[in-house]
Amino acid sequence: MELSLGPLRLVIEHRALDGDGGPTLRLYEAAAEQRELLRFDCFEKTPHWHLGPWGPDRISRLDPADDNVAWTLEQLRGDLAGLLSRAGLESDGQIADAAADEALRRVELAMRNPPAELDDLSIDRLRQRTGEKWTRYPDDALAAWVADMDFPVAAPIQRALQRSLDVGDLGYPHNPSSADLPSLFAERAAERWGWQLDPRSVEVLTDVVQGIFIGLLGYSDAGDGIVIQTPIYPPFLGAVQETGRRVTESPLVRGAERYEIDFDQLRAAVDPGSRVLLLCHPHNPTGRAFERAELEGLAELVLERDLVVISDEIHADLVFPGHVHIPFATLGPEIEARTLTLSSASKAFNIAGLRCAVAAFGSADLKRRFLSLPRHARGGIGGPGLAASDAAWRHSQPWLDQVMAYLDENRRLLGRFVRERLPGIVYRAPEATYLAWLDCRALELPEGPYAFFLEKARVAISNGVSFGAPGEGFVRLNFATSRAILTEILERMAKAVDAR
Ligand SMILES: Cc1ncc(COP(=O)(O)O)c(C=O)c1O
């Protein structure tokens, strides 16, 4: 990666040299070809830096506590002009502070994120994982069900977890003050979605589904109606049933391009006993990233019928180009005051096993009612989850950008393949998430598509029936894997359909 800053050209490389390696940052004088002023070799074993490598070349060890990149950036942020003049920069071009801050921010992210090897997945290696995705089904079945990605996690997350192990940092965590996730979440919400929220309104919790359960217990009573848009991520149905609430169902309707909200049906379904709108936004499994007009339609109903909103926005970072995520709480102060937003780094950064999420309360009252469930009943939070979520949100965006570009291509591949080779299946490209909701009803498979593809194609995908009654005849396919594995999955499915 390369970028310009005033009279400078900055180049970041990820080098591997005889068992050593890591990111190298070179600062060149842009006007003088090849004149390298500074070089920082943030290697694992022999980290060092050069002052004036084009000529005088004074080499010194880096002097970091445990983070070479942080040390390097600290030197540059502390005295960029001084270092450059010691290195013999002759240009008198000024560098504005704001431009330097922004360039160094990008440099740091690039140094921390070597390109991820997303194509380089092996099924044997995936089967070594102990998580449920690759262990639940027999070894000859390819797994494309639960929402974990097959990709390795971002380098900054790997480093953070490795560091925890290296220093034996597995004791009781200091939650949440040491890993200030509420502030990080608030910063990210402002930067990505223009949502200004006070970090004091954010609590760290174990997982998003836990937040749904606690929210339902806090904001409704047994027998109350909970509005959910089916087909839906199965724990939504479980949460309503297991807390003794009642499902007020609003089925999304398949349109020509995407699934739509049927507002007439929804208005008729919401009764005086309805208390909560349990929103999945972006929506799993249809992949909808609801637009402002749709959200405003929901907001109007929420105010009219005095509902509380629990908005599960765990997929908010997985929105494809051409679509945007609009947090439900940003629709206005009255809406914010009645909205609990749940989120986590776990889906977008592939760390669901680490169990860490956040809850953002739109009002003190919502927070008080949520926290009335005693702290120990809410459960504790693990240090590795805090460290990994911190590394994800603070340092891992380049990894996510690369993954999103890869997923976008997978989404297209899936569309082309279904059109050409599986014409009996209807597929609406998701606007968000790495999940494809496949309508297999026209195939008229007597055993249902889930059992058919598992038995005949040896492909394990999610059974549409578990997403509620509208999921009958559907399956959900997780396409967050390498192109080679995805192609193999689709080939197996097409062959099984052809051989019927
Ligand atoms: C919409 C939605 N909410 C929540 C979760 C799970 O979140 P957690 O593991 O934090 O409970 C998922 C997982 O796929 C999901 O799709």
PDB file of all heavy atoms in Angstrom, residues 6-18:
ATOM      1  N   GLY A   6       1.931  15.472   1.708  1.00  0.00           N
ATOM      2  CA  GLY A   6       2.778  16.641   1.419  1.00  0.00           C
ATOM      3  C   GLY A   6       3.944  16.222   0.534  1.00  0.00           C
ATOM      4  O   GLY A   6       3.744  15.626  -0.536  1.00  0.00           O
ATOM      5  N   PRO A   7       5.192  16.479   0.978  1.00  0.00           N
ATOM      6  CA  PRO A   7       6.351  16.146   0.143  1.00  0.00           C
ATOM      7  C   PRO A   7       6.760  14.671   0.231  1.00  0.00           C
ATOM      8  O   PRO A   7       7.806  14.292  -0.289  1.00  0.00           O
ATOM      9  CB  PRO A   7       7.446  17.027   0.749  1.00  0.00           C
ATOM     10  CG  PRO A   7       7.059  17.171   2.184  1.00  0.00           C
ATOM     11  CD  PRO A   7       5.563  17.154   2.237  1.00  0.00           C
ATOM     12  N   LEU A   8       5.937  13.861   0.881  1.00  0.00           N
ATOM     13  CA  LEU A   8       6.351  12.475   1.150  1.00  0.00           C
ATOM     14  C   LEU A   8       5.527  11.450   0.373  1.00  0.00           C
ATOM     15  O   LEU A   8       4.371  11.684   0.042  1.00  0.00           O
ATOM     16  CB  LEU A   8       6.157  12.149   2.644  1.00  0.00           C
ATOM     17  CG  LEU A   8       6.867  13.027   3.655  1.00  0.00           C
ATOM     18  CD1 LEU A   8       6.436  12.618   5.052  1.00  0.00           C
ATOM     19  CD2 LEU A   8       8.377  12.889   3.500  1.00  0.00           C
ATOM     20  N   ARG A   9       6.175  10.308   0.167  1.00  0.00           N
ATOM     21  CA  ARG A   9       5.454   9.128  -0.326  1.00  0.00           C
ATOM     22  C   ARG A   9       5.673   8.055   0.738  1.00  0.00           C
ATOM     23  O   ARG A   9       6.823   7.793   1.132  1.00  0.00           O
ATOM     24  CB  ARG A   9       6.050   8.701  -1.660  1.00  0.00           C
ATOM     25  CG  ARG A   9       5.272   7.635  -2.393  1.00  0.00           C
ATOM     26  CD  ARG A   9       5.638   7.653  -3.884  1.00  0.00           C
ATOM     27  NE  ARG A   9       7.049   7.347  -4.096  1.00  0.00           N
ATOM     28  CZ  ARG A   9       7.544   6.115  -4.245  1.00  0.00           C
ATOM     29  NH1 ARG A   9       6.734   5.081  -4.228  1.00  0.00           N
ATOM     30  NH2 ARG A   9       8.835   5.910  -4.414  1.00  0.00           N
ATOM     31  N   LEU A  10       4.578   7.467   1.225  1.00  0.00           N
ATOM     32  CA  LEU A  10       4.672   6.461   2.293  1.00  0.00           C
ATOM     33  C   LEU A  10       4.320   5.099   1.704  1.00  0.00           C
ATOM     34  O   LEU A  10       3.287   4.961   1.040  1.00  0.00           O
ATOM     35  CB  LEU A  10       3.700   6.787   3.432  1.00  0.00           C
ATOM     36  CG  LEU A  10       4.109   7.886   4.415  1.00  0.00           C
ATOM     37  CD1 LEU A  10       4.186   9.231   3.748  1.00  0.00           C
ATOM     38  CD2 LEU A  10       3.124   7.963   5.566  1.00  0.00           C
ATOM     39  N   VAL A  11       5.160   4.125   1.959  1.00  0.00           N
ATOM     40  CA  VAL A  11       4.941   2.794   1.377  1.00  0.00           C
ATOM     41  C   VAL A  11       4.949   1.762   2.504  1.00  0.00           C
ATOM     42  O   VAL A  11       5.855   1.759   3.344  1.00  0.00           O
ATOM     43  CB  VAL A  11       6.060   2.460   0.360  1.00  0.00           C
ATOM     44  CG1 VAL A  11       5.864   1.054  -0.208  1.00  0.00           C
ATOM     45  CG2 VAL A  11       6.083   3.487  -0.764  1.00  0.00           C
ATOM     46  N   ILE A  12       3.917   0.908   2.511  1.00  0.00           N
ATOM     47  CA  ILE A  12       3.863  -0.163   3.515  1.00  0.00           C
ATOM     48  C   ILE A  12       3.988  -1.501   2.801  1.00  0.00           C
ATOM     49  O   ILE A  12       3.279  -1.756   1.829  1.00  0.00           O
ATOM     50  CB  ILE A  12       2.533  -0.120   4.306  1.00  0.00           C
ATOM     51  CG1 ILE A  12       2.450   1.179   5.099  1.00  0.00           C
ATOM     52  CG2 ILE A  12       2.420  -1.302   5.268  1.00  0.00           C
ATOM     53  CD1 ILE A  12       1.496   2.143   4.546  1.00  0.00           C
ATOM     54  N   GLU A  13       4.891  -2.330   3.286  1.00  0.00           N
ATOM     55  CA  GLU A  13       5.060  -3.680   2.720  1.00  0.00           C
ATOM     56  C   GLU A  13       4.961  -4.677   3.858  1.00  0.00           C
ATOM     57  O   GLU A  13       5.316  -4.361   4.989  1.00  0.00           O
ATOM     58  CB  GLU A  13       6.462  -3.839   2.109  1.00  0.00           C
ATOM     59  CG  GLU A  13       6.753  -2.939   0.959  1.00  0.00           C
ATOM     60  CD  GLU A  13       8.266  -2.830   0.715  1.00  0.00           C
ATOM     61  OE1 GLU A  13       9.026  -3.674   1.235  1.00  0.00           O
ATOM     62  OE2 GLU A  13       8.652  -1.886   0.029  1.00  0.00           O
ATOM     63  N   HIS A  14       4.525  -5.874   3.518  1.00  0.00           N
ATOM     64  CA  HIS A  14       4.523  -6.947   4.518  1.00  0.00           C
ATOM     65  C   HIS A  14       5.562  -7.948   4.072  1.00  0.00           C
ATOM     66  O   HIS A  14       5.395  -8.626   3.072  1.00  0.00           O
ATOM     67  CB  HIS A  14       3.121  -7.548   4.640  1.00  0.00           C
ATOM     68  CG  HIS A  14       2.156  -6.580   5.249  1.00  0.00           C
ATOM     69  ND1 HIS A  14       2.036  -6.405   6.598  1.00  0.00           N
ATOM     70  CD2 HIS A  14       1.333  -5.668   4.681  1.00  0.00           C
ATOM     71  CE1 HIS A  14       1.157  -5.451   6.849  1.00  0.00           C
ATOM     72  NE2 HIS A  14       0.712  -4.991   5.705  1.00  0.00           N
ATOM     73  N   ARG A  15       6.663  -7.988   4.794  1.00  0.00           N
ATOM     74  CA  ARG A  15       7.790  -8.798   4.320  1.00  0.00           C
ATOM     75  C   ARG A  15       7.991 -10.024   5.194  1.00  0.00           C
ATOM     76  O   ARG A  15       7.792  -9.974   6.409  1.00  0.00           O
ATOM     77  CB  ARG A  15       9.072  -7.960   4.350  1.00  0.00           C
ATOM     78  CG  ARG A  15       8.949  -6.748   3.444  1.00  0.00           C
ATOM     79  CD  ARG A  15      10.290  -6.245   3.038  1.00  0.00           C
ATOM     80  NE  ARG A  15      10.985  -5.509   4.084  1.00  0.00           N
ATOM     81  CZ  ARG A  15      12.265  -5.186   4.018  1.00  0.00           C
ATOM     82  NH1 ARG A  15      13.000  -5.571   2.994  1.00  0.00           N
ATOM     83  NH2 ARG A  15      12.819  -4.485   4.981  1.00  0.00           N
ATOM     84  N   ALA A  16       8.419 -11.107   4.573  1.00  0.00           N
ATOM     85  CA  ALA A  16       8.805 -12.314   5.315  1.00  0.00           C
ATOM     86  C   ALA A  16      10.237 -12.618   4.924  1.00  0.00           C
ATOM     87  O   ALA A  16      10.521 -12.846   3.754  1.00  0.00           O
ATOM     88  CB  ALA A  16       7.888 -13.467   4.938  1.00  0.00           C
ATOM     89  N   LEU A  17      11.154 -12.565   5.863  1.00  0.00           N
ATOM     90  CA  LEU A  17      12.580 -12.711   5.557  1.00  0.00           C
ATOM     91  C   LEU A  17      13.196 -13.796   6.418  1.00  0.00           C
ATOM     92  O   LEU A  17      13.371 -13.606   7.626  1.00  0.00           O
ATOM     93  CB  LEU A  17      13.319 -11.393   5.855  1.00  0.00           C
ATOM     94  CG  LEU A  17      12.867 -10.149   5.095  1.00  0.00           C
ATOM     95  CD1 LEU A  17      13.529  -8.916   5.690  1.00  0.00           C
ATOM     96  CD2 LEU A  17      13.213 -10.272   3.632  1.00  0.00           C
ATOM     97  N   ASP A  18      13.482 -14.924   5.830  1.00  0.00           N
ATOM     98  CA  ASP A  18      14.188 -16.002   6.539  1.00  0.00           C
ATOM     99  C   ASP A  18      13.685 -16.206   7.965  1.00  0.00           C
ATOM    100  O   ASP A  18      14.452 -16.066   8.921  1.00  0.00           O
ATOM    101  CB  ASP A  18      15.701 -15.698   6.608  1.00  0.00           C
ATOM    102  CG  ASP A  18      16.295 -15.613   5.212  1.00  0.00           C
ATOM    103  OD1 ASP A  18      15.728 -16.264   4.316  1.00  0.00           O
ATOM    104  OD2 ASP A  18      17.288 -14.880   5.036  1.00  0.00           O
TER     105      ASP A  18
END
